[in-house]
């Protein structure tokens, strides 16, 4: 059974994706009227009366239904506040970011509501804002535009591009960086260097705050990122900029700090490479790859990082060594030997230790 009502619509990304013939990440519903009243006989999991939104369990699926609403921006660039709940569908669609995201599909008739020519823009592969104040209201839409452009192979429609340029030439940094961070993550998590190129060539990086230098990108690392799958892909790209305003968490800050600690280092042999990178976050090493030297980083990631000593502390005790500072020295020297002779066995390691330290 499907969730149907003549006032209930699929809205936003799900409609866009269906037209594009691709799978949607999530299914957003919008009820023309009050969704909380509409869902009173459904299995309601939670509701948020301030936003007029509700989550229901239907056929074992969690579904979000929003009431149609209008929003206001008390301060440009800050989070909007709800103005009216239960407005017309047209007014609800009007608050959205781009024409391709401002369509609705009726759950009963299947009819598509398209006040802003989203269908035509999909056909022409264009990203178009709905009004001239769109980026001033919410500058994170610039990153959303980049995300959709790269994801679908679309480009900004001429007037939208002009509005974007105007905004980026005159940014009001009194904005919600929370949303900037969220959209930046989604955009760069695509691991698509096209996004990075546009981010720089269209000056979108200026959204990250004043005092930015445009980094020099040495080489493509898309394949390296694909092969090693870091958790924070976005930072492998965004980490080259000054991210002060984004409120990084401890893990993210550690990635940046580690990268800063190695970016001026040039190890000259395998052991130096090993020492430089071991125990560092993967993202910091990938940042080194993209901005300093990809060959050195690849040597570590694809080969050296696998090398481990098989000899343990217990083995050293069995050989007659007394636990203490000497252990660290022996391990380091034996590791150096192994890094230069990666295919030696455990007994070769023990032989080396006996020859050099007993
Ligand atoms: P995705 O496939 O990345 O989830 P989506 O279009 O579903 O894309 P969401 O971020 O889930 O994106 O947002 C759902 C809908 O809400 C959008 O399709 C759009 O209509 C609207 N929306 C989201 N963010 C904004 C924004 N910053 N400004 C205006 N409308 C927005």
């Amino acid at each position: 059974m499907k969730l149907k009502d003549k006032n209930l619509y699929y809205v936003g990304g799900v409609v866009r994706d269906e037209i594009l013939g691709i799978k949607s990440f999530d299914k957003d519903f919008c009820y023309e009227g009050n969704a909380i009243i509409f869902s009173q006989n459904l299995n309601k999991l939670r509701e948020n009366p301030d936003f007029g939104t509700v989550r229901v369990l239907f056929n074992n699926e969690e579904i979000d239904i929003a009431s149609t609403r209008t929003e206001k921006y008390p301060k440009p660039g800050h989070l909007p506040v709800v103005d009216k709940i239960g407005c017309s569908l047209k007014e609800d669609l009007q608050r959205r970011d781009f024409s391709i995201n401002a369509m609705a599909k009726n759950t009963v008739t299947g009819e598509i509501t398209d006040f802003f020519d989203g269908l035509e823009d999909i056909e022409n592969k264009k990203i178009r804002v709905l009004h001239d104040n769109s980026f001033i209201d919410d500058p994170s839409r610039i990153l959303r535009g980049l995300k959709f452009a790269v994801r679908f192979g679309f480009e900004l429609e001429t007037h939208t591009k002009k509005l974007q340029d105007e905004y980026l030439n005159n940014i009001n940094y009194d904005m919600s960086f929370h949303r900037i961070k969220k959209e930046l993550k989604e955009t760069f998590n695509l691991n698509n260097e096209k996004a990075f190129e546009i981010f720089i060539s269209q000056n979108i990086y200026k959204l990250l705050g004043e005092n930015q230098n445009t980094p020099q990108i040495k080489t493509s690392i898309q394949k390296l990122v694909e092969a090693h799958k870091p958790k924070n892909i976005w930072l492998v790209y965004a980490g080259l900029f000054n991210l002060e305003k984004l409120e990084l968490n401890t893990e993210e800050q550690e990635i940046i700090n580690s990268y800063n600690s190695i970016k001026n280092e040039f190890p000259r042999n395998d052991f130096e490479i090993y020492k430089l990178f071991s125990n560092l976050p993967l993202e910091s090493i990938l940042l080194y790859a993209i901005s300093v030297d990809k060959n050195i980083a690849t040597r570590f990631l694809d080969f050296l990082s696998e090398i481990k000593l098989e000899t343990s502390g217990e083995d050293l005790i069995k050989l007659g060594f007394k636990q203490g500072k000497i252990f660290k020295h022996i391990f380091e020297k034996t590791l150096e030997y192994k890094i230069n002779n990666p295919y030696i066995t455990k007994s070769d390691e023990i032989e080396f230790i006996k020859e050099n330290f007993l």
Side-chain angles (χ1 to χ4, degrees):
M1 225 190 37
K2 287 207 165 139
L3 199 54
K4 284 185 179 180
D5 185 282
K6 68 175 184 14
N7 280 7
L8 188 66
Y9 296 84
Y10 296 103
V11 72
V14 60
V15 182
R16 175 202 68 215
D17 289 347
E18 189 183 307
I19 294 162
L20 283 165
I22 57 180
K23 204 174 162 343
S24 227
F25 292 129
D26 47 22
K27 241 185 220 167
D28 289 323
F29 285 89
C30 164
Y31 184 81
E32 187 169 27
N34 190 316
I36 295 180
I37 298 175
F38 162 73
S39 59
Q40 58 197 357
N41 294 323
L42 295 170
N43 186 356
K44 213 186 286 183
L45 298 175
R46 79 170 92 106
E47 64 182 38
N48 185 340
D50 293 343
F51 282 83
T53 54
V54 51
R55 177 166 291 176
V56 299
L57 192 66
F58 190 82
N59 285 349
N60 279 330
E61 229 187 305
E62 291 191 9
I63 290 173
D64 290 316
I65 309 175
S67 309
T68 41
R69 67 169 188 265
T70 55
E71 291 177 339
K72 267 192 192 154
Y73 288 83
K75 261 176 141 190
H78 284 255
L79 293 179
V81 292
V82 175
D83 185 32
K84 191 165 79 186
I85 291 179
C87 63
S88 70
L89 180 64
K90 184 170 186 180
E91 286 174 294
D92 180 284
L93 295 174
Q94 208 142 21
R95 73 177 163 84
R96 293 172 185 266
D97 50 359
F98 303 111
S99 63
I100 61 167
N101 290 342
M103 291 181 283
K105 180 180 171 180
N106 191 284
T107 53
V108 175
T109 63
E111 195 188 330
I112 291 191
T113 303
D114 178 22
F115 293 114
F116 307 101
D117 299 328
L119 284 170
E120 194 182 321
D121 285 335
I122 287 184
E123 183 97 344
N124 297 325
K125 299 180 180 287
K126 295 289 181 203
I127 311 270
R128 178 194 307 270
V129 286
L130 306 190
H131 57 86
D132 284 6
N133 255 4
S134 192
F135 294 138
I136 297 167
D137 284 345
D138 179 357
S140 74
R141 288 176 183 157
I142 292 180
L143 286 163
R144 289 178 62 82
L146 172 60
K147 173 178 75 178
F148 295 124
V150 169
R151 199 198 288 167
F152 303 135
F154 285 17
E155 58 177 34
L156 295 190
E157 160 280 324
T158 318
H159 184 62
T160 300
K161 172 71 168 53
K162 189 170 149 257
L163 294 171
Q164 176 180 294
D165 288 343
E166 277 169 18
Y167 184 78
L168 292 172
N169 280 328
N170 191 14
I171 300 178
N172 176 5
Y173 286 105
D174 176 23
M175 65 168 89
S176 157
F177 282 93
H178 182 74
R179 283 190 307 189
I180 296 283
K181 183 177 179 186
K182 173 179 173 283
E183 296 301 341
L184 192 72
K185 281 168 87 166
E186 289 190 16
T187 306
F188 284 142
N189 276 342
L190 296 173
N191 183 29
N192 185 323
E193 271 159 14
K194 186 89 193 140
F196 198 32
E197 268 169 39
I198 300 176
F199 188 69
I200 295 174
S201 66
Q202 295 190 0
N203 293 331
I204 300 175
Y205 69 89
K206 286 187 179 175
L207 286 176
L208 300 177
E210 305 92 334
N211 309 325
Q212 297 292 340
N213 294 318
T214 35
Q216 290 294 312
I217 309 309
K218 297 256 171 173
T219 178
S220 165
I221 60 154
Q222 218 165 293
K223 288 216 171 79
L224 206 56
V225 172
E226 235 163 70
H228 292 279
K229 298 195 174 38
K231 181 175 149 209
N232 299 283
I233 294 180
W234 71 286
L235 268 183
V236 171
Y237 300 99
L240 297 177
F241 294 90
N242 174 354
L243 301 180
E244 247 167 23
K245 294 213 185 242
L246 297 197
E247 294 194 7
L248 298 183
N249 64 30
T250 318
E251 184 186 4
E252 293 163 347
Q253 193 56 56
E254 165 70 23
I255 289 168
I256 302 301
N257 294 347
S258 298
Y259 167 62
N260 285 333
S261 75
I262 57 174
K263 70 181 182 197
N264 296 317
E265 301 288 333
F266 294 92
R268 287 156 305 174
N269 57 45
D270 278 352
F271 187 57
E272 284 187 12
I273 297 175
Y274 189 95
K275 276 209 298 194
L276 187 65
F277 292 137
S278 51
N279 303 321
L280 290 192
L282 174 55
E283 291 87 343
S284 315
I285 301 169
L286 290 165
L287 275 162
Y288 186 95
I290 197 171
S291 65
V292 185
D293 192 316
K294 182 173 156 189
N295 289 338
I296 291 180
T298 306
R299 177 80 180 153
F300 178 77
L301 292 173
D302 288 353
F303 183 64
L304 298 174
S305 62
E306 306 290 326
I307 301 175
K308 302 268 174 320
L309 277 187
E310 286 175 71
T311 308
S312 65
E314 237 168 73
D315 294 320
L316 294 189
I317 290 168
K318 270 191 212 149
L319 286 171
F321 291 101
K322 287 232 159 33
Q323 209 153 357
K325 268 194 191 148
I326 183 78
F327 273 37
K328 188 169 174 266
H329 179 67
I330 294 175
F331 283 138
E332 193 165 311
K333 286 290 168 201
T334 314
L335 184 62
E336 182 172 357
Y337 176 65
K338 184 157 186 173
I339 290 209
N340 293 323
N341 303 276
Y343 301 109
I344 62 170
T345 62
K346 181 170 179 180
S347 48
D348 295 328
E349 286 176 22
I350 302 278
E351 268 320 297
F352 173 83
I353 292 167
K354 280 185 184 163
E355 265 172 36
N356 290 278
F357 304 103
L358 267 185

